[in-house]
Amino acid sequence: MPFVRPYVRSDGTPVRGHFRWAPGARKELAIFTMVAVAVVGFGNSNGRAGESTGPAVKPGDGRAVTYPIRFDRGDARAAPRRGVPQPTASYPITFPPPKREPAPPTPAVSYPIDLSTLGGER
């Protein structure tokens, strides 16, 4: 959308600055808006009470789940448990040593110094 700067027509009528739409852009935007509203309106239906879109699952048809779910301990597909954890990488992994921060400087004098007693008045 190009911006048209303010100008004065040949008959003396001043025209304010405005954006000029491309030819057919308003119609395309109207069609796009109608399609978007239709998609949101029809595609967002969650159903109402009493309606069903698929087969209903009944508790007695064998597909119901019993909680809590327990797994058989004697499953042959289970991974063997080891007492000591083993590394997963076959090569040694080295980590950089931690950086040591320098110790804060210790003061050379343990008492406060009063500079006014030195005689250097300013």
Side-chain angles (χ1 to χ4, degrees):
M1 283 192 307
F3 182 75
V4 178
R5 287 182 278 188
Y7 64 96
V8 178
R9 291 184 180 163
S10 61
D11 63 352
T13 307
V15 178
R16 292 185 304 180
H18 59 278
F19 287 100
R20 174 173 286 164
W21 287 53
R26 291 183 194 270
K27 181 180 177 182
E28 290 178 3
L29 181 63
I31 292 171
F32 175 76
T33 304
M34 287 188 291
V35 169
V37 167
V39 167
V40 170
F42 290 121
N44 203 13
S45 63
N46 294 330
R48 294 187 180 98
E51 290 184 7
S52 176
T53 57
V57 178
K58 297 177 183 174
D61 66 357
R63 293 189 290 177
V65 179
T66 307
Y67 291 99
I69 298 175
R70 300 191 190 282
F71 296 98
D72 186 19
R73 296 283 183 199
D75 191 4
R77 295 178 292 160
R81 298 205 181 258
R82 298 181 181 136
V84 178
Q86 299 294 324
T88 57
S90 61
Y91 52 88
I93 300 174
T94 57
F95 295 97
K99 294 181 180 178
R100 295 191 177 261
E101 294 185 19
T106 57
V109 182
S110 62
Y111 54 88
I113 298 174
D114 186 14
L115 298 176
S116 64
T117 59
L118 297 177
E121 299 293 327
R122 292 186 189 195

